[in-house]
Amino acid sequence: DQQVKQNSPSLSVQEGRISILNCDYTNSMFDYFLWYKKYPAEGPTFLISISSIKDKNEDGRFTVFLNKSAKHLSLHIVPSQPGDSAVYFCAATTPPQGGSEKLVFGKGTKLTVNP
Amino acid sequence: EAQVTQNPRYLITVTGKKLTVTCSQNMNHEYMSWYRQDPGLGLRQIYYSMNVEVTDKGDVPEGYKVSRKEKRNFPLILESPSPNQTSLYFCASSLRPTFGVLHFGNGTRLTVT
């Protein structure tokens, strides 16, 4: 059962335009969401996060939007730059249960920003 | 420099030959975890550890073992590797997995023939 879904395996945009990466989730217990970026031959790195009590979080060119009723979040990159070309993973977590915590990743979306 | 160090970066081995992938972090993080990344499947958690001597299975633990004898180290052990364990492996650490930034190592590409 895939609880975090990134339905677009790839996305291609022109430099300077907006990139929108989407993520859907099924578990209504998720209360914190994160985006990680991964370049080839490197480990993923944290990009931006959002708590379920918010619907928007912004950090420079990156904005994450959360629509809890639709169980959907999106990452907006404006303006897109060639250096943003990477695989982006959406992740979600639930509150701790029984001392155990779990972070669930989506399958990733490969973003290509063309000069 | 704060980092998660995995070794080796590349490993080619044969079926059944026991191997260990080491992972060490210098951030005094309590939480450590192992993931494997496969095409079309994203990042799947193998095992995680909330603290020293506390480990638990992730989504795909079969064929793997871990230990957490010290806070900084979290080795991944394949007692009898098989070709379906050919993958890209990542170790990660965090103060806690929630509200926490997971710091990843640079990965270990394992090929089992």
Side-chain angles (χ1 to χ4, degrees):
Chain A
D1 178 29
Q2 193 182 347
Q3 298 186 60
V4 177
K5 301 177 185 179
Q6 294 178 256
N7 291 320
S8 297
S10 62
L11 175 68
S12 183
V13 299
Q14 283 300 118
E15 181 178 4
R17 307 294 287 268
I18 184 172
S19 296
I20 300 176
L21 294 92
N22 293 304
C23 178
D24 296 297
Y25 61 95
T26 57
N27 188 343
S28 58
M29 295 299 292
F30 285 144
D31 68 342
Y32 198 72
F33 304 87
L34 309 94
W35 286 93
Y36 285 82
K37 179 168 73 172
K38 184 184 178 304
Y39 292 119
E42 295 182 11
T45 56
F46 170 75
L47 184 60
I48 192 170
S49 62
I50 188 167
S51 165
S52 60
I53 63 174
K54 294 186 175 183
D55 55 17
K56 177 183 175 181
N57 189 27
E58 193 171 353
D59 183 1
R61 296 184 298 112
F62 303 91
T63 303
V64 55
F65 295 92
L66 176 61
N67 182 335
K68 281 180 293 184
S69 60
K71 294 191 178 69
H72 177 83
L73 66 155
S74 60
L75 173 68
H76 293 211
I77 307 174
V78 184
S80 301
Q81 300 173 353
D84 295 328
S85 297
V87 176
Y88 290 78
F89 290 100
C90 172
T93 185
T94 59
Q97 297 171 13
S100 175
E101 304 186 24
K102 195 74 179 294
L103 184 63
V104 181
F105 284 89
K107 293 183 178 181
T109 296
K110 183 178 182 179
L111 172 66
T112 302
V113 180
N114 301 302
Chain B
E1 179 188 353
Q3 59 185 2
V4 178
T5 303
Q6 291 179 233
N7 280 299
R9 288 295 306 273
Y10 301 92
L11 180 58
I12 300 174
T13 190
V14 296
T15 299
K17 186 175 182 181
K18 179 180 179 179
L19 66 91
T20 299
V21 184
T22 64
C23 174
S24 180
Q25 51 95 2
N26 62 0
M27 295 167 279
N28 202 35
H29 284 165
E30 293 185 356
Y31 179 91
M32 297 187 75
S33 182
W34 277 101
Y35 293 87
R36 59 179 287 175
Q37 184 187 7
D38 301 289
L41 296 177
L43 287 164
R44 294 183 294 168
Q45 190 178 49
I46 303 170
Y47 268 95
Y48 64 97
S49 169
M50 302 293 289
N51 213 324
V52 175
E53 301 293 359
V54 180
T55 63
D56 209 345
K57 296 177 180 178
D59 299 314
V60 287
E62 293 78 21
Y64 304 94
K65 286 175 58 177
V66 293
S67 69
R68 188 89 182 274
K69 294 185 171 60
E70 311 165 274
K71 200 170 191 177
R72 64 182 293 123
N73 294 324
F74 190 45
L76 179 69
I77 303 156
L78 284 71
E79 294 270 3
S80 182
S82 62
N84 65 12
Q85 292 178 298
T86 293
S87 186
L88 180 57
Y89 291 86
F90 291 100
C91 179
S93 73
S94 171
L95 280 174
R96 353 172 2 141
T98 56
F99 301 100
V101 175
L102 269 180
H103 297 259
F104 284 85
N106 281 331
T108 295
R109 184 165 292 281
L110 171 65
T111 302
V112 184
T113 61

